[in-house]
Amino acid sequence: PHSLASVANECLENTYALLAKEAPCQQLEDYGEEFGDEDDDHDAFMTSVCDLVGSFGRVMGHHFVQYLPKFLPPICEYAKSSRPPSDRSMAVGCLGELAQELGAGISEYWSNVFYPAAIAGLADSDYSVRRNAAFCIGVSCEGLGESVTSQYGTMLQAMSPLFGIDVNDGDTAAACVDNASAAVARMITTSPSNVPLAQVLPVVLKALPLKNDMTENETVYNCLFGLLEKNQPDLIANKLELSRVFAEAASEASNVDDDLKEKLKLALQSLH
Protein backbone atom coordinates (compact mmCIF):
# COMPACT_ATOMS: atom_id res chain seq x y z
CA PRO A 1 0.00 0.00 0.00
CA HIS A 2 2.80 2.45 0.88
CA SER A 3 4.54 2.06 -2.47
CA LEU A 4 1.24 2.92 -4.14
CA ALA A 5 0.64 6.04 -2.04
CA SER A 6 2.31 8.58 -4.33
CA VAL A 7 0.32 7.50 -7.38
CA ALA A 8 -2.81 6.05 -5.72
CA ASN A 9 -5.16 8.94 -6.47
CA GLU A 10 -4.12 9.12 -10.12
CA CYS A 11 -4.48 5.34 -10.54
CA LEU A 12 -7.88 5.32 -8.86
CA GLU A 13 -9.16 8.29 -10.88
CA ASN A 14 -8.04 6.78 -14.19
CA THR A 15 -9.50 3.37 -13.31
CA TYR A 16 -12.82 4.96 -12.34
CA ALA A 17 -12.87 6.95 -15.59
CA LEU A 18 -12.43 3.76 -17.62
CA LEU A 19 -15.08 1.93 -15.61
CA ALA A 20 -17.55 4.79 -16.04
CA LYS A 21 -16.60 5.16 -19.72
CA GLU A 22 -15.44 8.71 -19.10
CA ALA A 23 -11.80 8.28 -20.18
CA PRO A 24 -10.67 10.48 -23.10
CA CYS A 25 -10.16 7.44 -25.35
CA GLN A 26 -13.78 6.42 -24.69
CA GLN A 27 -15.13 9.80 -25.78
CA LEU A 28 -14.01 9.36 -29.38
CA GLU A 29 -16.86 9.11 -31.88
CA ASP A 30 -15.78 5.73 -33.21
CA TYR A 31 -15.22 4.12 -29.77
CA GLY A 32 -18.75 2.68 -29.60
CA GLU A 33 -18.51 1.38 -33.16
CA GLU A 34 -15.12 -0.20 -32.66
CA PHE A 35 -15.68 -1.57 -29.14
CA GLY A 36 -19.37 -2.39 -28.77
CA ASP A 37 -20.70 -3.85 -25.53
CA GLU A 38 -20.69 -7.34 -27.01
CA ASP A 39 -17.30 -7.04 -28.68
CA ASP A 40 -14.56 -9.45 -27.54
CA ASP A 41 -12.05 -6.61 -27.17
CA HIS A 42 -14.54 -4.70 -25.01
CA ASP A 43 -15.00 -7.81 -22.83
CA ALA A 44 -11.27 -8.34 -22.34
CA PHE A 45 -10.58 -4.67 -21.70
CA MET A 46 -13.38 -4.08 -19.20
CA THR A 47 -12.63 -7.35 -17.43
CA SER A 48 -9.07 -6.09 -16.94
CA VAL A 49 -10.44 -2.83 -15.52
CA CYS A 50 -12.63 -4.74 -13.05
CA ASP A 51 -9.68 -6.98 -12.15
CA LEU A 52 -7.76 -3.81 -11.35
CA VAL A 53 -10.53 -2.66 -9.00
CA GLY A 54 -10.29 -6.00 -7.19
CA SER A 55 -6.51 -5.59 -7.01
CA PHE A 56 -6.92 -2.18 -5.38
CA GLY A 57 -9.08 -3.86 -2.76
CA ARG A 58 -6.40 -6.50 -2.16
CA VAL A 59 -3.50 -4.04 -1.96
CA MET A 60 -5.22 -1.22 -0.08
CA GLY A 61 -7.40 -3.38 2.18
CA HIS A 62 -9.70 -1.36 4.44
CA HIS A 63 -8.29 1.88 2.98
CA PHE A 64 -10.23 1.10 -0.21
CA VAL A 65 -13.60 1.07 1.60
CA GLN A 66 -13.80 4.88 1.38
CA TYR A 67 -13.82 4.58 -2.42
CA LEU A 68 -16.74 2.13 -2.60
CA PRO A 69 -19.42 4.85 -2.95
CA LYS A 70 -17.64 5.98 -6.11
CA PHE A 71 -16.80 2.60 -7.66
CA LEU A 72 -19.90 0.54 -6.84
CA PRO A 73 -22.43 2.44 -9.03
CA PRO A 74 -20.52 1.94 -12.32
CA ILE A 75 -19.79 -1.69 -11.41
CA CYS A 76 -23.49 -2.28 -10.77
CA GLU A 77 -24.36 -0.75 -14.13
CA TYR A 78 -22.66 -3.75 -15.74
CA ALA A 79 -24.63 -6.15 -13.52
CA LYS A 80 -28.03 -5.06 -14.88
CA SER A 81 -30.12 -7.72 -16.62
CA SER A 82 -30.10 -5.63 -19.80
CA ARG A 83 -26.33 -6.01 -20.13
CA PRO A 84 -24.67 -8.91 -22.04
CA PRO A 85 -23.85 -12.03 -19.95
CA SER A 86 -20.11 -11.27 -20.07
CA ASP A 87 -20.73 -7.86 -18.45
CA ARG A 88 -23.01 -9.31 -15.78
CA SER A 89 -20.46 -12.00 -14.96
CA MET A 90 -17.65 -9.46 -14.83
CA ALA A 91 -19.57 -7.15 -12.48
CA VAL A 92 -20.71 -9.86 -10.06
CA GLY A 93 -17.20 -11.33 -10.11
CA CYS A 94 -15.79 -7.91 -9.20
CA LEU A 95 -18.22 -7.60 -6.28
CA GLY A 96 -17.11 -11.03 -5.09
CA GLU A 97 -13.45 -10.02 -5.21
CA LEU A 98 -14.18 -6.85 -3.24
CA ALA A 99 -16.17 -8.83 -0.67
CA GLN A 100 -13.28 -11.27 -0.30
CA GLU A 101 -10.64 -8.55 0.09
CA LEU A 102 -12.57 -6.05 2.23
CA GLY A 103 -14.41 -8.43 4.58
CA ALA A 104 -16.51 -6.49 7.09
CA GLY A 105 -15.67 -3.32 5.15
CA ILE A 106 -18.59 -3.97 2.80
CA SER A 107 -21.15 -4.10 5.63
CA GLU A 108 -22.60 -0.67 4.84
CA TYR A 109 -23.20 -1.76 1.23
CA TRP A 110 -24.33 -5.34 1.85
CA SER A 111 -28.10 -4.81 1.93
CA ASN A 112 -28.41 -2.42 -0.99
CA VAL A 113 -25.59 -3.56 -3.31
CA PHE A 114 -23.83 -6.87 -2.68
CA TYR A 115 -26.80 -8.91 -1.43
CA PRO A 116 -29.34 -7.98 -4.14
CA ALA A 117 -26.72 -8.30 -6.89
CA ALA A 118 -25.68 -11.75 -5.69
CA ILE A 119 -29.25 -13.01 -5.25
CA ALA A 120 -30.16 -11.78 -8.75
CA GLY A 121 -26.97 -13.37 -10.09
CA LEU A 122 -27.89 -16.76 -8.64
CA ALA A 123 -31.07 -16.72 -10.76
CA ASP A 124 -29.28 -15.58 -13.93
CA SER A 125 -29.53 -17.67 -17.10
CA ASP A 126 -25.74 -17.62 -17.55
CA TYR A 127 -23.55 -20.12 -15.70
CA SER A 128 -20.64 -17.70 -15.31
CA VAL A 129 -22.85 -15.14 -13.58
CA ARG A 130 -24.29 -17.82 -11.29
CA ARG A 131 -20.90 -19.19 -10.24
CA ASN A 132 -19.62 -15.67 -9.47
CA ALA A 133 -22.79 -14.92 -7.51
CA ALA A 134 -22.30 -18.06 -5.40
CA PHE A 135 -18.69 -17.05 -4.75
CA CYS A 136 -19.85 -13.56 -3.75
CA ILE A 137 -22.39 -15.00 -1.30
CA GLY A 138 -19.81 -17.28 0.28
CA VAL A 139 -17.02 -14.76 0.81
CA SER A 140 -19.54 -12.12 1.98
CA CYS A 141 -20.87 -14.48 4.65
CA GLU A 142 -17.31 -15.29 5.65
CA GLY A 143 -16.34 -11.62 5.95
CA LEU A 144 -19.53 -10.29 7.53
CA GLY A 145 -19.94 -13.08 10.07
CA GLU A 146 -22.95 -13.16 12.37
CA SER A 147 -24.38 -9.90 11.02
CA VAL A 148 -25.90 -11.64 7.96
CA THR A 149 -27.01 -14.95 9.46
CA SER A 150 -30.66 -13.84 9.44
CA GLN A 151 -30.46 -14.00 5.64
CA TYR A 152 -28.92 -17.48 5.49
CA GLY A 153 -32.28 -19.11 4.74
CA THR A 154 -32.95 -16.91 1.72
CA MET A 155 -29.39 -17.33 0.44
CA LEU A 156 -29.46 -21.12 0.79
CA GLN A 157 -32.82 -21.26 -0.98
CA ALA A 158 -31.47 -19.09 -3.83
CA MET A 159 -28.40 -21.33 -4.19
CA SER A 160 -30.35 -24.57 -4.09
CA PRO A 161 -31.04 -24.74 -7.89
CA LEU A 162 -27.29 -24.64 -8.60
CA PHE A 163 -26.96 -28.12 -7.10
CA GLY A 164 -29.34 -29.39 -9.78
CA ILE A 165 -27.10 -28.25 -12.64
CA ASP A 166 -25.73 -31.06 -14.82
CA VAL A 167 -21.94 -30.91 -14.37
CA ASN A 168 -21.59 -32.61 -17.76
CA ASP A 169 -22.87 -29.42 -19.43
CA GLY A 170 -19.29 -28.13 -19.44
CA ASP A 171 -16.61 -26.56 -17.25
CA THR A 172 -18.66 -23.49 -16.32
CA ALA A 173 -21.62 -25.65 -15.31
CA ALA A 174 -19.34 -27.76 -13.11
CA ALA A 175 -17.80 -24.60 -11.65
CA CYS A 176 -21.31 -23.41 -10.71
CA VAL A 177 -21.84 -26.46 -8.54
CA ASP A 178 -18.32 -26.20 -7.09
CA ASN A 179 -18.79 -22.55 -6.13
CA ALA A 180 -22.18 -23.30 -4.59
CA SER A 181 -20.59 -26.07 -2.52
CA ALA A 182 -17.81 -23.73 -1.38
CA ALA A 183 -20.31 -20.98 -0.53
CA VAL A 184 -22.30 -23.34 1.69
CA ALA A 185 -19.04 -24.54 3.28
CA ARG A 186 -18.13 -20.94 4.14
CA MET A 187 -21.57 -20.38 5.66
CA ILE A 188 -21.25 -23.53 7.76
CA THR A 189 -17.75 -22.64 8.94
CA THR A 190 -18.84 -19.10 9.83
CA SER A 191 -22.06 -19.99 11.66
CA PRO A 192 -22.97 -23.71 11.71
CA SER A 193 -25.94 -23.16 14.02
CA ASN A 194 -27.62 -21.04 11.34
CA VAL A 195 -27.41 -23.70 8.62
CA PRO A 196 -29.94 -26.59 8.60
CA LEU A 197 -27.20 -29.20 8.37
CA ALA A 198 -29.55 -32.20 8.24
CA GLN A 199 -30.98 -30.89 4.96
CA VAL A 200 -27.88 -29.20 3.53
CA LEU A 201 -25.09 -31.75 4.09
CA PRO A 202 -26.54 -34.58 1.94
CA VAL A 203 -26.93 -32.14 -0.98
CA VAL A 204 -23.38 -30.81 -0.67
CA LEU A 205 -21.82 -34.25 -0.22
CA LYS A 206 -23.60 -35.52 -3.33
CA ALA A 207 -21.92 -32.68 -5.31
CA LEU A 208 -18.43 -33.61 -4.10
CA PRO A 209 -15.56 -33.99 -4.91
CA LEU A 210 -15.21 -30.68 -6.73
CA LYS A 211 -15.06 -31.10 -10.49
CA ASN A 212 -13.62 -27.84 -11.82
CA ASP A 213 -12.67 -25.13 -9.32
CA MET A 214 -9.82 -26.75 -7.42
CA THR A 215 -9.01 -23.48 -5.62
CA GLU A 216 -12.00 -24.18 -3.36
CA ASN A 217 -10.80 -27.60 -2.15
CA GLU A 218 -9.31 -26.22 1.09
CA THR A 219 -12.52 -24.33 1.87
CA VAL A 220 -14.78 -27.34 1.37
CA TYR A 221 -12.67 -30.03 3.04
CA ASN A 222 -11.59 -27.88 6.00
CA CYS A 223 -15.29 -27.29 6.67
CA LEU A 224 -15.95 -31.03 6.66
CA PHE A 225 -12.86 -31.73 8.81
CA GLY A 226 -14.13 -29.20 11.36
CA LEU A 227 -17.52 -30.89 11.57
CA LEU A 228 -15.92 -34.32 11.77
CA GLU A 229 -13.66 -33.30 14.65
CA LYS A 230 -16.77 -32.27 16.58
CA ASN A 231 -18.55 -35.52 15.64
CA GLN A 232 -21.36 -33.38 14.27
CA PRO A 233 -24.39 -35.75 14.29
CA ASP A 234 -25.76 -34.75 10.87
CA LEU A 235 -22.39 -35.37 9.25
CA ILE A 236 -21.93 -38.70 11.04
CA ALA A 237 -25.39 -39.70 9.79
CA ASN A 238 -23.95 -39.36 6.27
CA LYS A 239 -20.77 -41.30 7.05
CA LEU A 240 -20.98 -43.57 3.98
CA GLU A 241 -21.32 -40.65 1.58
CA LEU A 242 -18.58 -38.75 3.40
CA SER A 243 -16.29 -41.78 3.07
CA ARG A 244 -16.97 -41.90 -0.67
CA VAL A 245 -16.13 -38.21 -1.05
CA PHE A 246 -12.89 -38.48 0.94
CA ALA A 247 -11.83 -41.64 -0.92
CA GLU A 248 -12.42 -40.09 -4.35
CA ALA A 249 -10.73 -36.83 -3.40
CA ALA A 250 -7.70 -38.68 -1.99
CA SER A 251 -7.33 -41.04 -4.96
CA GLU A 252 -4.34 -40.92 -7.29
CA ALA A 253 -6.51 -39.62 -10.13
CA SER A 254 -7.75 -36.68 -8.05
CA ASN A 255 -6.58 -33.10 -8.68
CA VAL A 256 -6.47 -32.33 -4.97
CA ASP A 257 -2.97 -31.24 -3.85
CA ASP A 258 -0.80 -33.76 -2.02
CA ASP A 259 -0.90 -32.14 1.44
CA LEU A 260 -4.68 -32.09 1.42
CA LYS A 261 -4.78 -35.68 0.14
CA GLU A 262 -2.84 -36.77 3.24
CA LYS A 263 -5.35 -35.04 5.49
CA LEU A 264 -8.19 -36.69 3.59
CA LYS A 265 -6.60 -40.13 4.01
CA LEU A 266 -6.25 -39.58 7.77
CA ALA A 267 -9.86 -38.40 8.01
CA LEU A 268 -10.96 -41.44 6.00
CA GLN A 269 -9.21 -43.77 8.44
CA SER A 270 -11.03 -42.14 11.36
CA LEU A 271 -14.34 -43.01 9.69
CA HIS A 272 -13.64 -46.76 9.67
Side-chain angles (χ1 to χ4, degrees), residues 137-204:
I137 288 284
V139 293
S140 295
C141 288
E142 190 173 50
L144 295 170
E146 294 293 325
S147 67
V148 297
T149 54
S150 63
Q151 293 161 304
Y152 267 28
T154 306
M155 290 187 276
L156 288 167
Q157 194 171 3
M159 272 194 292
S160 178
L162 273 64
F163 289 96
I165 292 172
D166 184 355
V167 296
N168 296 312
D169 271 358
D171 288 346
T172 318
C176 257
V177 184
D178 290 350
N179 286 129
S181 299
V184 174
R186 285 185 166 94
M187 294 169 80
I188 293 171
T189 302
T190 301
S191 188
S193 62
N194 283 289
V195 178
L197 295 174
Q199 289 80 44
V200 167
L201 283 174
V203 177
V204 173

Side-chain angles (χ1 to χ4, degrees), residues 8 15 34 53 68 84 88 130 159 171 188 249:
T15 303
E34 194 170 342
V53 175
L68 288 180
R88 301 197 303 272
R130 296 173 85 179
M159 272 194 292
D171 288 346
I188 293 171

Side-chain angles (χ1 to χ4, degrees), residues 85-126:
S86 56
D87 280 2
R88 301 197 303 272
S89 174
M90 172 188 78
V92 177
C94 186
L95 292 176
E97 280 188 66
L98 289 172
Q100 183 177 42
E101 302 302 342
L102 303 179
I106 70 162
S107 58
E108 191 179 335
Y109 311 96
W110 166 248
S111 295
N112 62 346
V113 177
F114 288 83
Y115 179 67
I119 292 294
L122 289 172
D124 200 279
S125 58
D126 185 82

Side-chain angles (χ1 to χ4, degrees), residues 1 56-65 101-102:
F56 282 133
R58 182 164 59 256
V59 173
M60 297 176 70
H62 70 277
H63 294 294
F64 189 71
V65 172
E101 302 302 342
L102 303 179

